[in-house]
Amino acid sequence: MDPDSVTASAVKKPTPLGKNERRVLGVLIEKAKTTPDNYPMSIAAIVSGANQKSNRAPLMQLDEDDVQTALDKLRAVGVAREVQGSGRVAKYRHVAYEWLGVDAAGVAIMTELLLRGPQTVGELRTRASRMHEFPDLENVSAVLSTLQNAGLVQAMTPPGRGQAFAHSLYPADEQRYLALKISSNESTDDDDQELTASKPVATMNAVANEARLVAVEERLTELQRRLDELESRLES
């Protein structure tokens, strides 16, 4: 399918993805655009891309097992596929255009949101331009409007200077935490979306505690999944 021929209204809103799956999907799309000679990607290459220090927020430390699990989940929902490399090393590619129902401009915006979280129109234009040319801010706003209509993007702050946008692929628990964090953030500086020191300490502690709780719950879920797999193998 020609990616430029796909419109954001072509499909319904995709399934929410966990943080590891979002990072891996973002890496697959980004590298297909920026380093096509090294695409499709091996697991080792995806690990490197997921953990790199530039163009990522938050920074992560995924290992090969984390990436393999994320790829399995992405394949299950239909947004990634396994292919064989020339050396018979398994490699992976995305099918995000079809899965998201977006064109080249839309996938560039979605990729930046997947890799760096909520951003302003100005940030998105600067960062996504490495994957697709955006002549001006109005062009980015038009793409965001299309993605919002398709249920892929959400406005996180009121209209106006510094309005922040996020993708809509967060699971429900992360969505609640994100909304709390954004609502507690008074800064609209293009290079910083950290919680402001002017907020009450109790509010900031509540946000931090909820973030830790989400992380613990995700880890427990993953440990339980691995334990279930081990028990299944032992039984067989």
Side-chain angles (χ1 to χ4, degrees), residues 146-216:
T146 299
L147 294 173
Q148 283 182 278
N149 291 336
L152 297 172
V153 163
Q154 55 189 322
M156 301 305 299
T157 56
R161 182 178 177 82
Q163 183 179 23
F165 295 87
H167 64 75
S168 300
L169 302 183
Y170 295 100
D173 54 350
E174 288 189 74
Q175 180 68 47
R176 289 192 294 270
Y177 164 66
L178 179 65
L180 178 61
K181 179 178 179 179
I182 293 294
S183 67
S184 300
N185 184 5
E186 292 182 344
S187 173
T188 57
D189 186 75
D190 280 353
D191 295 319
D192 184 30
Q193 293 188 358
E194 295 295 326
L195 293 174
T196 60
S198 62
K199 282 292 176 181
V201 174
T203 300
M204 296 179 69
N205 287 341
V207 172
N209 289 337
E210 185 168 348
R212 285 193 290 269
L213 179 59
V214 169
V216 170

Side-chain angles (χ1 to χ4, degrees), residues 54-158:
S54 61
N55 300 317
R56 303 289 184 267
L59 298 180
M60 299 177 73
Q61 287 296 321
L62 303 185
D63 58 27
E64 291 195 357
D65 288 341
D66 295 328
V67 169
Q68 182 65 73
T69 299
L71 286 167
D72 290 343
K73 293 179 180 178
L74 292 173
R75 292 172 63 196
V77 300
V79 69
R81 294 175 182 169
E82 180 180 345
V83 297
Q84 289 293 336
S86 57
R88 300 194 63 78
V89 174
K91 295 189 176 183
Y92 298 85
R93 61 184 292 266
H94 72 84
V95 285
Y97 291 104
E98 296 88 342
W99 192 71
L100 293 170
V102 296
D103 59 10
V107 85
I109 295 294
M110 289 296 296
T111 301
E112 285 302 324
L113 294 175
L114 287 168
L115 292 175
R116 302 189 69 144
Q119 297 168 68
T120 65
V121 175
E123 288 174 326
L124 287 168
R125 185 196 176 198
T126 298
R127 295 164 177 169
S129 290
R130 62 199 176 97
M131 291 180 283
H132 181 82
E133 182 178 358
F134 293 95
D136 49 44
L137 294 178
E138 288 72 20
N139 184 255
V140 177
S141 295
V143 175
L144 285 169
S145 179
T146 299
L147 294 173
Q148 283 182 278
N149 291 336
L152 297 172
V153 163
Q154 55 189 322
M156 301 305 299
T157 56

